[in-house]
Each structure stands twice: as structure tokens, then as C-alpha cells.
Amino acid sequence: MAVHVFDHPLIQHKLAILRDKNTGTKEFRALISEIAGLMCYEATRNLPTREVLVETPVATAKCRMLAGKKLAIIPILRAGLGMVDAMVDMIPSAKIGHIGLYRDPDTHKPVEYYCKLPEDIENRQVYVVDPMLATGGSAVAAIDFLKARGCKHIIMMNIIGCPEGIQTVQQAHPDVDIYLAACDEKLNDHAYIIPGLGDAGDRIFGTK
Ligand code: PRP
Ligand code: URA
């Protein structure tokens, strides 16, 4: 299992503004989407391609197109929704599934409230998206669901993670690669990432 932390200047610049407590909902939502698009570009770098011949107006060009498994994007509700549009802009043929989880405020354990996946999910390369990887409980629960439905090729994409979350996912699902824009220092007593960005769902949807 591999953990990839992107140090691309554009991603880091946008992440700095995203973290700022003075960044408002409109800009926060736009930044989540922009970062997800840039991360998508990097996280799909190793997708297989096949050669195709394309007739241009003047000659035949040897080109490459995506090959291999079809893709699925699975946001963990709610905050994961903020990353979907940018992913679909890059991969318009991807199917989208939804896994609804929220963290119990006292136990910090994930509680499931919704799950709807593409019918052929087991044959797809799956990208699970969620801005935050804190305790790792939500990520592990989402990957558990997907594996229970036959998925074998799963990639986790989070904007901010931390050592605790990475370790939890690594222990439960050593076959799942994790892509992050940043790996922060630690969790606080409320299982929030420090320094993090606060509550991603509330900041995307303006609920607090
Ligand atoms: C946040 C975040 C992750 C989860 C991460 O969601 O979007 O899903 O917490 O924490 P964990 O790694 O400790 O499980 P939250 O439960 O706040 O729900 P929301 O997206 O509906 O706001
Ligand atoms: N969920 C969030 O939205 N932020 C955190 O820091 C941890 C969990």
C-alpha cells in the first residue's frame, strides 16, 4: 500500500487558502473542487492506455486512449460531494455511487445512513473521495462496504489526512492506496485534524 502526498505548488497554494478560517463558503467550495481536480489528474497518472489510430483532417495519428477497467467515483456524504464535480469533469464516463456516513459526535465512530452504488461496481476501478481522513473510521467503513460488494480495486482520495487515519486505513485495508494533498500533524481531543481546516462538511455547505 502506498501513501502519496502531493507537493504540487498549485495544490499547496489552494490548500493554504482553504485552511484559512476567514475563507467563506463560496470560495471554500470552489477550492475543494479545484484541488480535487488537480488531485484527480495526479491520481489517475497510472491508468492503463491502449493505442488507437485517429484520422485527423490531414493524416493518421497514433494516439492513446484509456483502457482497462471503467471507473467509479464514490463520495462519502456529505463532504465528499464537494470533490465529485471536478472528478467527473476529468472522467465524464465515470459512474457515481454514494455512501452516507456521519461521525457520532461522542464516539467519533462512523454511522451509516445511505448507500447506493453502480450495479457493476465490482468490475470498476473505484475512487473513494472525502476531504478529510481523521480517525480513518469513515474511510475504513466505506471501503468495507465496497469490498463486501465485490470491489477489488479501490483508491482513497482525501485532501487532508493525518498519521492516525493513514495507519487505521493501512491496517484494515493494506491494498488501498491513499492520495492526499497534505498529511497534517495529529488529531485533537475531538478527533479533528490539527491544524486541518475545521469541519469540511459545514464549510462546504455553510451549515455552521
Ligand atoms: C467528516 C469527513 C469524513 C469524516 C472523517 O465527515 O468528511 O467523512 O468526518 O473523519 P474520520 O476519519 O474520523 O471518520 P462528518 O462525519 O463530519 O460528516 P459530514 O461530511 O456529513 O459533515
Ligand atoms: N471531519 C472534518 O470535517 N474535519 C476534521 O478535522 C475531522 C473530521
Side-chain angles (χ1 to χ4, degrees):
M1 182 233 205
V3 180
H4 310 261
V5 183
F6 297 129
D7 58 1
H8 193 290
L10 285 177
I11 295 178
Q12 295 308 313
H13 178 88
K14 290 174 190 295
L15 186 56
I17 306 170
L18 189 76
R19 289 181 187 276
D20 191 328
K21 66 179 182 188
N22 296 314
T23 298
T25 302
K26 186 173 169 221
E27 194 180 5
F28 189 90
R29 201 182 289 145
L31 286 162
I32 287 275
S33 191
E34 289 165 18
I35 293 169
L38 293 167
M39 290 181 72
C40 173
Y41 179 76
E42 292 286 345
T44 50
R45 185 175 286 283
N46 296 323
L47 286 178
T49 57
R50 66 187 159 86
E51 189 176 291
V52 291
L53 297 178
V54 173
E55 294 302 323
T56 78
V58 287
T60 302
K62 265 191 204 170
C63 302
R64 304 208 66 82
M65 294 185 82
L66 289 177
K69 293 190 178 308
K70 293 181 177 160
L71 308 185
I73 299 159
I74 313 292
I76 301 180
L77 307 181
R78 274 173 315 165
L81 286 175
M83 299 173 72
V84 172
D85 286 355
M87 300 276 296
V88 175
D89 283 348
M90 296 280 176
I91 315 164
S93 60
K95 294 267 172 77
I96 303 168
H98 297 88
I99 296 179
L101 296 170
Y102 70 88
R103 289 199 323 177
D104 181 282
D106 299 320
T107 66
H108 307 137
K109 300 271 183 241
V111 181
E112 182 202 350
Y113 61 90
Y114 188 74
C115 184
K116 183 80 178 173
L117 301 173
E119 270 180 2
D120 58 350
I121 189 73
E122 71 276 11
N123 298 322
R124 290 181 177 262
Q125 167 69 57
V126 174
Y127 290 83
V128 180
V129 298
D130 189 335
M132 308 306 276
L133 179 65
T135 65
S138 302
V140 168
I143 298 166
D144 285 346
F145 284 143
L146 291 163
K147 287 193 173 171
R149 285 158 181 80
C151 297
K152 289 174 201 68
H153 304 279
I154 302 172
I155 285 172
M156 188 76 220
M157 277 180 55
N158 306 102
I159 294 181
I160 301 182
C162 62
E164 293 91 330
I166 292 171
Q167 196 186 2
T168 300
V169 175
Q170 275 182 325
Q171 275 173 1
H173 298 293
D175 56 309
V176 174
D177 283 3
I178 303 176
Y179 289 83
L180 301 170
C183 179
D184 277 9
E185 197 188 325
K186 59 180 182 184
L187 295 177
N188 70 9
D189 293 344
H190 303 287
Y192 271 77
I193 297 176
I194 301 296
L197 49 68
D199 189 305
D202 282 337
R203 293 194 69 184
I204 291 172
F205 296 106
T207 38
K208 247 182 208 162

